Amino acid sequence: MSASGDGAYRSGGGAASTHAHYDDMLTSARLLDTAGDHARALSTDLTMTIARLPVTGTLMSPGTAVRIGERTVALTVGPHGLVVLCADLELMARGVRLSVDYYRTRDAAVADALTAYHFGVALPHVVSAVGSAAGVAAALTYRDYSLATLRDPAHPRIDPVTAYERYFTSAISRAAYDDPSLTDDTVRSARLVAYVLGDRGDFDHQVAAILGVATAHGYLLDSTRLTVTAAGTHTSAGPRTKGSIGTLVADDAWAERAGNAHRSLLSVHRRIDAQGTGHWVVDLPGTQNWGVKMPQDPSDATANVRSMADVPSSLYPAISAALAAAMRAQGVTPGSEPVMLVGHSQGGIVAARLAQNPQFRTRFRVTRLITVAAPTSRIAVPGSVRALSIEHTSDLVPRLDAAGEPDAVNRTYIRIDPRSRMRPGDHDPIDQHDPDLYADSARRHLGRDSTDPLVKRWYADTEGFMDGTDVRYDYELHR
């Protein structure tokens, strides 16, 4: 794990994950076993070689034969011989494996205990925060009403309900901004209530239950196939300068801004290096329409809930069709060149689900994933896909799955506090969700000059996705 002294930056997972340390220990155990096997084989070969010595030589020089026998015994079955060495190495290997089993069991027990603790304190934490915000709002509303009454006792110019709502929203937003764990505990409290009411399923199941209730009443429906329309091709004039993680995040932010209430814009890039090798990057936009009754723009609330619930979405085949069309235009067979998926917010959830899907992943050879401001910690990303997750400390959205950072060898996470770059007095956590602010954070903290070993490794493994001539295909998705 890497962290800055001021707490503005923190990274983990990947090569610094607990599972990576376990893998290192198990690799050491395999090496010890191999060394033990070599010692045993060497002992056997030495014994067989001595056994094959001519009998005539033994008769002619019995003293020499005795000395050879003594040394052979010492080298093979003596207290410091190969057999003892073999046993020691295999015993050490077994000890290392048992240690890994113990640590895994202990870590699982600690995780279960922490989960129980978090659920235990979640509801009191939320009640306390809401009560405090309600008290502040009531006091400020009373102050404003009293002043308005003093000015005009007959007709005080204030709506107490509107004033209270404004102050309460401001107070609770400030609380969530200052204490990001409040969002986690709000989600945990909702899950706890669902559990008490009889829903014993996991997070995905509980979201699916909400979806089922909504669709039964005509909301969050997804019954119309999306239309995919080519919206232009753009080729860089010359070789692309060396890109960065910030470049990738900024490209995705551009695609999100290019959408509107009537359609989403999906951008597909092919980056071609000097040797003619291509790498593909797909930019998936975040939520652009909060409509719940199938608006024209498919990046809507329905896509959010369906992707979180892990149920089919009309976005998935549309994205597949757009990527296949771009590859046909370039004369590339799907699966022959690697693909990276990049998504902000909803786009990150969809990207993670597509990377998780074996048909999509295999057909298009998905090898890299970048999620920005997306609640994807609960989504199991296959080991063949290297994933990078970028989050702002007080952004509410990545916390909506109430899960900690994934601890996996193939998943690296970055948490950045951008508050020093925000307007003075801006305490709205929603502002931290802005895709352009994420692009700025990525440029400042995740450049090629980063000293973070996890970021350096990411660059070493993803050069082709950022460099070379860039050909971009844009596609409009709409109902």
Side-chain angles (χ1 to χ4, degrees):
M1 179 182 290
S2 297
S4 61
D6 58 1
Y9 175 92
R10 182 166 62 90
S11 68
S17 66
T18 303
H19 287 282
H21 296 319
Y22 289 159
D23 287 348
D24 289 343
M25 293 176 70
L26 292 174
T27 299
S28 298
R30 286 192 293 271
L31 292 174
L32 289 169
D33 272 335
T34 301
D37 292 341
H38 288 325
R40 181 185 291 105
L42 182 59
S43 175
T44 301
D45 291 345
L46 182 59
T47 302
M48 295 300 294
T49 299
I50 298 302
R52 294 192 189 100
L53 290 176
V55 176
T56 54
T58 303
L59 295 174
M60 292 177 63
S61 182
T64 301
V66 169
R67 286 193 296 274
I68 290 175
E70 290 174 346
R71 291 180 181 179
T72 301
V73 170
L75 284 171
T76 55
V77 298
H80 302 292
L82 291 170
V83 173
V84 174
L85 175 62
C86 172
D88 287 345
L89 290 172
E90 291 180 345
L91 186 62
M92 290 171 61
R94 183 172 298 180
V96 171
R97 289 193 180 93
L98 288 174
S99 296
V100 171
D101 290 341
Y102 165 75
Y103 288 137
R104 281 177 170 164
T105 302
R106 184 202 63 182
D107 289 346
V110 171
D112 289 343
L114 285 174
T115 298
Y117 169 77
H118 286 145
F119 272 97
V121 302
L123 193 56
H125 183 198
V126 172
V127 170
S128 174
V130 171
S132 177
V136 169
L140 293 175
T141 302
Y142 179 77
R143 179 202 63 184
D144 290 355
Y145 186 80
S146 299
L147 292 174
T149 302
L150 288 174
R151 294 189 188 98
D152 187 352
H155 303 93
R157 296 182 179 180
I158 184 174
D159 180 356
V161 174
T162 302
Y164 179 84
E165 289 176 349
R166 183 177 71 253
Y167 284 128
F168 179 79
T169 300
S170 175
I172 203 68
S173 296
R174 178 62 185 265
Y177 182 87
D178 292 337
D179 182 7
S181 68
L182 180 60
T183 302
D184 302 333
D185 285 343
T186 301
V187 176
R188 291 189 185 104
S189 298
R191 294 193 64 200
L192 188 61
V193 170
Y195 184 87
V196 171
L197 294 177
D199 189 340
R200 303 292 195 268
D202 59 14
F203 182 82
D204 291 353
H205 181 273
Q206 290 178 336
V207 177
I210 295 172
L211 177 64
V213 173
T215 54
H217 290 81
Y219 298 98
L220 302 180
L221 298 174
D222 192 29
S223 56
T224 303
R225 185 173 181 175
L226 302 186
T227 299
V228 181
T229 307
T233 304
H234 309 270
T235 304
S236 57
R240 177 186 172 101
T241 57
K242 276 190 173 295
S244 65
I245 296 172
T247 307
L248 295 170
V249 177
D251 286 346
D252 187 65
W254 177 87
E256 182 167 331
R257 289 196 309 274
N260 57 42
H262 303 291
R263 52 103 169 120
S264 294
L265 187 76
L266 178 75
S267 290
V268 180
H269 301 256
R270 186 183 185 220
R271 297 200 169 117
I272 310 167
D273 61 21
Q275 289 73 41
T277 303
H279 292 72
W280 295 81
V281 179
V282 183
D283 293 325
L284 304 172
T287 308
Q288 295 171 308
N289 190 318
W290 286 99
V292 294
K293 284 205 167 188
M294 291 199 299
Q296 284 184 293
D297 182 354
S299 296
D300 57 1
T302 299
N304 275 319
V305 179
R306 297 188 76 85
S307 56
M308 288 295 288
D310 193 19
V311 298
S313 167
S314 58
L315 273 177
Y316 302 161
I319 294 167
S320 181
L323 180 53
M327 289 185 170
R328 280 196 304 271
Q330 284 285 300
V332 174
T333 302
S336 62
E337 294 179 344
V339 172
M340 172 191 287
L341 303 175
V342 183
H344 168 261
S345 192
Q346 178 192 119
I349 307 171
V350 172
R353 290 300 186 192
L354 290 174
Q356 184 188 47
N357 183 279
Q359 288 78 29
F360 185 92
R361 183 177 68 253
T362 304
R363 180 188 179 192
F364 292 109
R365 194 179 156 197
V366 178
T367 63
R368 298 292 184 273
L369 168 68
I370 295 181
T371 62
V372 181
T376 58
S377 295
R378 294 183 184 274
I379 299 176
V381 177
S384 60
V385 179
R386 290 281 311 278
L388 174 67
S389 298
I390 305 171
E391 302 176 6
H392 282 156
T393 306
S394 294
D395 187 354
L396 305 182
V397 176
R399 295 175 171 271
L400 291 179
D401 58 359
E405 297 92 349
D407 184 64
V409 178
N410 66 316
R411 303 184 71 170
T412 299
Y413 66 83
I414 308 290
R415 279 201 170 175
I416 300 169
D417 187 345
R419 286 180 283 190
S420 63
R421 307 283 290 185
M422 300 178 72
R423 299 186 304 275
D426 185 350
H427 303 297
D428 189 346
I430 299 300
D431 290 344
Q432 288 207 21
H433 192 63
D434 181 72
D436 291 319
L437 184 61
Y438 270 100
D440 177 71
S441 294
R443 282 190 291 263
R444 288 189 300 115
H445 292 278
L446 306 177
R448 288 180 175 271
D449 57 348
S450 171
T451 59
D452 186 340
L454 295 177
V455 176
K456 287 183 176 181
R457 176 168 293 197
W458 178 266
Y459 275 110
D461 292 342
T462 56
E463 285 290 349
F465 293 99
M466 294 179 284
D467 303 332
T469 301
D470 183 34
V471 182
R472 189 186 86 226
Y473 296 86
D474 294 333
Y475 295 92
E476 294 181 353
L477 310 182
H478 58 88
R479 290 190 175 93

